[in-house]
Amino acid sequence: MRVLKSMDVSQSQDLGAIVAKDINIKVLDRTGDKLFGKQLEYPATFDKVPKIQSTTPLSISFKAETTDADKPLRLDQAVVSFQHTTTGNEVTLPAKAVGKSGVFKMEMTRKLFRKHFDSAPGQYNVALVLGSYTEGRLLYKLGDVYMAEGSSKSQASVASPGYGPKEEIRHRFAESQRMPNVVVSLVFSCAVVVPLVALLVVWARLGVNVDNLQKEAAGSLAFLGLVAAYMSLAVAYWVGVKLFPTLAYALVLALPTFVTGRYALSKRIQKGI
């Protein structure tokens, strides 16, 4: 977030009815011990702040009010501005409300320091920027701080976003499942067909009489057709149809096979065939 780009933050400016009170600046080391602490009241500034590093985070807290103590204040903008004294580049960090008492706090975490200041060390003007659509704005220069230079590794990561060709993606597909030799499949196919061929040969040698089928052709042919459908279903299952679809088809054929078989046999008994 970037705000008040054209405003000079080297000097304080009171352009409304906003008042900043109880300003506290703290610098802590990595163990949490306080290296620097200062409490300000507008328009005083701080000095002699130790060098800020990623391991010594900076925090600024304050309370915002209006000149009329009985009138509630709603801030539409609350940020801390860091403007480089040499390049003029500006970084703004938001100050978030702490509860409903009008207290705000900005914390510069390691992540924020490495993102904004690792690659841009130097002296920065620090200013508190508050704004309200109804109460105007306040630009309060707090003082100057020095941001230390980051490590070479972190600078390289900031300077080089990592654009460029990536490594080639190599994907290994699943190996084909090992299948038996074609000769084995043919042998088993022939072994399945042999019983049917043997049945037909035996019927031919015994002299099966099919003339009686003409006396009850409808029922007998329907029954034999459904039996053939069952055999075809068995072949389809063996070739590639899944188990559950095969069972569903078999259930569909079961009732008509039972009915036609019972009908054909009862008619043959009635006619004494």
Side-chain angles (χ1 to χ4, degrees), residues 1-4 52 57-62 77-83 89-97 104-117 124-130 142 145 147:
M1 180 174 65
R2 305 187 70 83
V3 297
L4 302 178
I52 306 299
L58 170 70
S59 68
I60 298 176
S61 63
F62 60 92
Q77 181 183 62
V79 297
V80 178
S81 171
F82 297 85
Q83 189 175 54
N89 293 335
E90 183 186 14
V91 176
T92 55
L93 302 180
K96 299 181 180 179
F104 293 80
K105 187 174 184 180
M106 184 283 301
E107 290 185 314
M108 183 187 296
T109 61
R110 293 186 181 184
K111 183 178 180 180
L112 290 174
F113 183 90
R114 290 169 180 168
K115 179 180 179 181
H116 298 292
F117 304 106
Y124 284 82
N125 292 323
V126 184
L128 186 61
V129 183
L130 307 179
L142 301 176
V145 296
M147 300 297 180

Side-chain angles (χ1 to χ4, degrees), residues 26 28 31 44 51 90-91 122 157 174 220 230 250 253 260 271:
K26 293 181 182 179
L28 306 177
T31 61
K51 186 182 296 185
E90 183 186 14
V91 176
S157 62
S220 298
Y230 263 109
L253 293 174
T260 56
K271 295 182 179 181

Side-chain angles (χ1 to χ4, degrees), residues 167-179:
E167 294 183 2
E168 181 181 358
I169 299 176
R170 298 181 180 274
H171 179 74
R172 183 177 180 180
F173 293 93
E175 296 182 359
S176 301
Q177 186 178 2
R178 295 185 63 183
M179 302 297 290

Side-chain angles (χ1 to χ4, degrees), residues 128-163:
L128 186 61
V129 183
L130 307 179
S132 171
Y133 289 115
T134 58
E135 304 298 334
R137 65 191 180 195
L138 172 66
L139 176 62
Y140 178 11
K141 182 189 176 183
L142 301 176
D144 296 332
V145 296
Y146 186 86
M147 300 297 180
E149 186 176 4
S151 63
S152 57
K153 182 178 180 180
S154 60
Q155 288 188 40
S157 62
V158 173
S160 177
Y163 299 123

Side-chain angles (χ1 to χ4, degrees), residues 57-85:
L58 170 70
S59 68
I60 298 176
S61 63
F62 60 92
K63 186 174 183 179
E65 298 178 349
T66 62
T67 52
D68 184 357
D70 297 330
K71 185 177 181 181
L73 171 64
R74 177 184 175 182
L75 284 181
D76 298 296
Q77 181 183 62
V79 297
V80 178
S81 171
F82 297 85
Q83 189 175 54
H84 201 287
T85 56

Side-chain angles (χ1 to χ4, degrees), residues 1-270:
M1 180 174 65
R2 305 187 70 83
V3 297
L4 302 178
K5 181 70 177 178
S6 59
M7 182 172 288
D8 181 12
V9 299
S10 61
Q11 295 181 355
S12 298
Q13 298 180 28
D14 185 355
L15 303 176
I18 301 176
V19 178
K21 304 172 65 177
D22 301 332
I23 299 98
N24 286 284
I25 298 95
K26 293 181 182 179
V27 180
L28 306 177
D29 63 8
R30 65 176 64 192
T31 61
D33 294 332
K34 185 165 64 174
L35 298 178
F36 174 82
K38 184 75 173 180
Q39 185 170 358
L40 302 177
E41 293 295 338
Y42 184 84
T45 61
F46 63 81
D47 54 3
K48 298 182 180 179
V49 177
K51 186 182 296 185
I52 306 299
Q53 302 175 357
S54 62
T55 56
T56 57
L58 170 70
S59 68
I60 298 176
S61 63
F62 60 92
K63 186 174 183 179
E65 298 178 349
T66 62
T67 52
D68 184 357
D70 297 330
K71 185 177 181 181
L73 171 64
R74 177 184 175 182
L75 284 181
D76 298 296
Q77 181 183 62
V79 297
V80 178
S81 171
F82 297 85
Q83 189 175 54
H84 201 287
T85 56
T86 303
T87 64
N89 293 335
E90 183 186 14
V91 176
T92 55
L93 302 180
K96 299 181 180 179
V98 181
K100 298 181 180 181
S101 59
V103 176
F104 293 80
K105 187 174 184 180
M106 184 283 301
E107 290 185 314
M108 183 187 296
T109 61
R110 293 186 181 184
K111 183 178 180 180
L112 290 174
F113 183 90
R114 290 169 180 168
K115 179 180 179 181
H116 298 292
F117 304 106
D118 252 3
S119 59
Q123 193 83 7
Y124 284 82
N125 292 323
V126 184
L128 186 61
V129 183
L130 307 179
S132 171
Y133 289 115
T134 58
E135 304 298 334
R137 65 191 180 195
L138 172 66
L139 176 62
Y140 178 11
K141 182 189 176 183
L142 301 176
D144 296 332
V145 296
Y146 186 86
M147 300 297 180
E149 186 176 4
S151 63
S152 57
K153 182 178 180 180
S154 60
Q155 288 188 40
S157 62
V158 173
S160 177
Y163 299 123
K166 302 296 183 181
E167 294 183 2
E168 181 181 358
I169 299 176
R170 298 181 180 274
H171 179 74
R172 183 177 180 180
F173 293 93
E175 296 182 359
S176 301
Q177 186 178 2
R178 295 185 63 183
M179 302 297 290
N181 194 285
V182 178
V183 176
V184 177
S185 300
L186 293 176
V187 169
F188 276 94
S189 300
C190 295
V192 173
V193 176
V194 165
L196 180 60
V197 175
L199 176 63
L200 297 177
V201 171
V202 171
W203 280 356
R205 289 189 176 183
L206 292 178
V208 176
N209 185 7
V210 296
D211 295 335
N212 291 331
L213 292 176
Q214 299 177 0
K215 298 179 181 180
E216 180 47 45
S220 298
L221 290 176
F223 175 68
L224 293 176
L226 288 170
V227 172
Y230 263 109
M231 297 177 66
S232 300
L233 181 60
V235 173
Y237 171 68
W238 180 66
V239 170
V241 179
K242 302 297 182 182
L243 176 61
F244 288 105
T246 302
L247 293 176
Y249 298 147
L251 289 175
V252 172
L253 293 174
L255 182 60
T257 303
F258 172 76
V259 173
T260 56
R262 193 171 187 277
Y263 175 80
L265 291 175
S266 62
K267 288 297 184 180
R268 293 177 71 84
I269 293 174
Q270 290 176 6

